[in-house]
Amino acid sequence: MSDASRHFNWSEFACKCARLECEGKILHPAWLLLVGLEELHERLARVLAREIRILVNSGNRCRAHDLAERRQYAQEHGLPPPTGTGEHANFWAADVAVQARDTVSLEWEAVPPATVAAASEDCPVWRDGKGGIGTYSNRNHLDVRPGTGARWRG
């Protein structure tokens, strides 16, 4: 697949289910999500004064895969089972892990998800409570949902 933007490839966002005919493998994520991720990349590189990479762990999900992921998460965390799909099934969400290159060792190091969430809040896409920002122990969920935004810790 071709480049989606300066730092991202379309294949990073493809659904990871086993179905070959999955719509999450052929449809692209929302353009606004890519704009937000690029802005976040530039902002973090500037603030941390280091080379940055944003790894997309999960982007698009077909409805079946999204529901399975949501059910598994609910079960693992003792939550009620979900009744529908989430933002990934709408192709406007990504779960990401951010790394910064150490200037001495040149090794990639994890950027704390709280740092990523704070930087996301300063990006126009997520500023003023827009979109969704989830902060987990080792990743962030970022989405460009319409209407009222959401913030949470998982």
Side-chain angles (χ1 to χ4, degrees):
M1 296 192 119
S2 63
D3 290 340
S5 66
R6 182 170 176 216
H7 296 103
F8 300 96
N9 192 289
W10 290 123
S11 63
E12 293 179 86
F13 294 92
C15 183
K16 294 176 178 48
C17 80
R19 292 182 24 228
L20 293 177
E21 72 283 359
C22 167
E23 66 274 13
K25 289 184 178 20
I26 57 172
L27 297 175
H28 297 321
W31 181 249
L32 187 58
L33 178 62
L34 285 172
V35 169
L37 290 172
E38 284 292 344
E39 170 67 21
L40 177 62
H41 187 283
E42 298 304 318
R43 185 172 299 280
L44 282 168
R46 193 170 48 251
V47 168
L48 299 175
R50 293 166 69 188
E51 184 181 353
I52 296 295
R53 66 180 179 188
I54 298 177
L55 308 172
V56 178
N57 299 324
S58 181
N60 293 353
R61 293 182 193 153
C62 63
R63 293 197 172 303
H65 183 200
D66 190 59
L67 193 53
E69 289 282 329
R70 291 168 53 87
R71 283 182 180 145
Q72 179 180 346
Y73 181 85
Q75 184 176 19
E76 289 172 357
H77 293 86
L79 301 170
T83 57
T85 56
E87 309 310 325
H88 288 274
N90 293 319
F91 306 150
W92 56 45
D95 291 339
V96 300
V98 179
Q99 297 177 337
R101 191 184 292 271
D102 183 270
T103 55
V104 176
S105 71
L106 302 180
E107 296 291 321
W108 290 101
E109 302 172 340
V111 175
T115 301
V116 175
S120 299
E121 292 286 1
D122 289 334
C123 296
V125 170
W126 293 290
R127 191 178 295 145
D128 300 324
K130 292 182 286 196
I133 301 174
T135 305
Y136 297 86
S137 62
N138 61 350
R139 65 183 167 85
N140 292 87
H141 167 98
L142 300 169
D143 71 57
V144 292
R145 68 185 68 198
T148 305
R151 304 293 185 266
W152 68 94
R153 293 188 174 278

